[in-house]
Amino acid sequence: MAAFGSVFMPKMALATFENNQWSEASIVGSDSIQLHPGAHVLHYSSTCFEGLKAFRHEDGSVHVFRMDQNIKRLAQSSRLLSLPTLDEEQVAKMILDVVAEYGSDVPEPPGSMYIRPTHIGTEAAVGKAAAPTATSMLYVLLSPVGDYFTGGAKALRLLLDETGMRCAPHMGMIKSGGNYASALGPMMKAKAEVQADQILFCPNGDVQETGAANFLLIDGNEIITKGLDSSFLHGVTRSSILTLAADLGMTVTERDLTVTELLERSAKPEVEAVLSGTAAVLTSVGTFIHNDKEYKVGTGEPGPTAQKLRQALNDIQWGKAEDNHNWLTKVC
Ligand SMILES: *Cc1c(COP(=O)(O)O)cnc(C)c1O
């Protein structure tokens, strides 16, 4: 099967910002865009993106999940990067229009249609290293995706890194390209040297997140994760899982967590650790690697609470459970 995110629908929604205003959005071919080689994004990384999904229900209808949250975050990323201000209603319409265009191509569960809104600075101005782009382009790409866990869900090995950082601290809550490039070097090194699947960035012992997913610790009936601050990406999956955990009667604790406490708690057999994000929903962590030692998390295998929470979220997304929090928007 094709790798996640490598197949695209042939058209996308696109709008441009020029002369201080947004153009009308249109549906255009998705195989290319025209960009000046001096475009601001290519030199000074004025770029941000989002990732959300549309789901097919049993009756054939198609629904997007928590679109408002992703649009708000894209608007925030754009603002923090000094990109032109988004017209949030226009973005919503672009998403709904392009998903509707491909409504019949939205895969059945466990597949879905991955939606990738992208906002880039297009002004041809290599002199603007210290000035914002005056023009930009916003497009919404679609990629049908299958079950993320085709190989079977395997618990991940995470390297706990207390010295490095995922990105510059003031960039943590921005979903911007440069942050991922910044985490690649350390990640490739961790893969090669200790066969880690991911790095859990814990600068000065403060447990933050991995390269592209949030981290949550499950200790019996309690779920613990770092409280929102500007140092990390505020995941929609993280917030959804915390809400569902509370619905299920779990204690939700949002606070700082140190590496020391993490390793202490993980030694208990009932403890689970998970990564959360739109692509994989919840992925279990089986092993921490820290200062050349390996620590099993609980049993070292995917646990029952992670499974229960993932199921609760999937059931809402797939229309099998009541959408009590109004997270779905019907597209067609
Ligand atoms: C996208 C992302 C997440 C997960 O966010 P979701 O809204 O749950 O998909 C977490 N951390 C980083 C760094 C991300 O880029």
Side-chain angles (χ1 to χ4, degrees):
M1 210 187 79
F4 182 94
S6 64
V7 174
F8 298 98
M9 300 318 292
K11 290 182 189 168
M12 63 181 182
L14 180 141
T16 54
F17 186 87
E18 277 168 90
N19 303 318
N20 286 312
Q21 58 182 356
W22 283 101
S23 69
E24 282 212 20
S26 52
I27 303 282
V28 302
S30 69
D31 59 338
S32 64
I33 52 170
Q34 200 164 359
L35 204 56
H36 191 284
H40 200 272
V41 58
L42 300 177
H43 302 266
Y44 309 122
S45 290
S46 46
T47 171
C48 54
F49 68 92
E50 272 307 321
L52 65 161
K53 282 174 171 173
F55 298 91
R56 175 175 302 289
H57 289 186
E58 220 152 42
D59 66 1
S61 59
V62 170
H63 305 253
V64 285
F65 184 73
R66 302 198 76 178
M67 176 177 73
D68 56 324
Q69 296 298 308
N70 293 89
I71 293 175
K72 253 174 53 188
R73 195 168 67 189
L74 187 65
Q76 175 177 278
S77 294
S78 298
R79 196 161 53 240
L80 293 171
L81 292 170
S82 303
L83 273 158
T85 305
L86 290 185
D87 174 345
E88 296 183 34
E89 276 177 35
Q90 179 182 41
V91 182
K93 188 166 183 309
M94 288 168 72
I95 292 171
L96 296 175
D97 284 354
V98 75
V99 172
E101 174 96 11
Y102 290 106
S104 57
D105 293 292
V106 175
E108 305 264 343
S112 58
M113 187 67 87
Y114 184 78
I115 307 166
R116 175 53 68 96
T118 309
H119 188 196
I120 58 176
T122 52
E123 187 181 1
V126 293
K128 279 196 160 181
T133 182
T135 63
S136 69
M137 179 186 290
L138 171 75
Y139 54 80
V140 182
L141 262 179
L142 298 183
S143 174
V145 295
D147 188 355
Y148 203 82
F149 298 106
T150 36
K154 212 174 116 267
L156 301 179
R157 289 166 58 82
L158 293 195
L159 173 66
L160 306 181
D161 181 344
E162 294 190 63
T163 51
M165 290 188 203
R166 184 177 85 90
C167 62
H170 70 290
M171 291 289 288
M173 59 197 268
I174 313 177
K175 216 166 168 75
S176 184
N179 287 348
Y180 305 87
S182 144
L184 273 181
M187 217 153 77
M188 301 313 286
K189 192 163 171 272
K191 282 186 187 188
E193 291 180 358
V194 295
Q195 291 75 54
D197 295 300
Q198 299 283 337
I199 294 178
L200 180 56
F201 290 97
C202 311
N204 300 313
D206 175 35
V207 177
Q208 294 184 338
E209 61 173 333
T210 65
N214 293 126
F215 177 81
L216 304 100
L217 188 71
I218 299 165
D219 188 346
N221 197 46
E222 186 180 13
I223 186 161
I224 306 169
T225 193
K226 187 171 172 63
L228 297 180
D229 65 21
S230 59
S231 70
F232 73 105
L233 206 285
H234 303 173
V236 178
T237 314
R238 169 191 177 282
S239 121
S240 307
I241 289 293
L242 294 184
T243 301
L244 294 176
D247 287 354
L248 291 168
M250 292 181 71
T251 304
V252 174
T253 307
E254 294 184 69
R255 64 158 166 85
D256 285 352
L257 182 65
T258 63
V259 167
T260 309
E261 182 183 353
L262 178 63
L263 292 177
E264 255 171 39
R265 282 187 185 255
S266 302
K268 298 194 270 178
E270 71 273 22
V271 166
E272 298 175 42
V274 291
L275 299 181
S276 76
T278 295
V281 187
L282 278 186
T283 311
S284 293
V285 177
T287 307
F288 292 130
I289 306 156
H290 183 248
N291 293 343
D292 300 322
K293 280 208 212 112
E294 300 205 359
Y295 300 81
K296 230 192 242 180
V297 184
T299 64
E301 299 298 325
T305 308
Q307 166 62 27
K308 186 171 75 175
L309 290 168
R310 182 190 307 117
Q311 190 69 50
L313 182 58
N314 279 337
D315 282 350
I316 294 174
Q317 293 172 328
W318 296 336
K320 292 178 177 160
E322 196 69 42
D323 177 22
N324 290 324
H325 300 285
N326 282 317
W327 284 341
L328 298 176
T329 304
K330 187 170 175 193
V331 182
C332 55

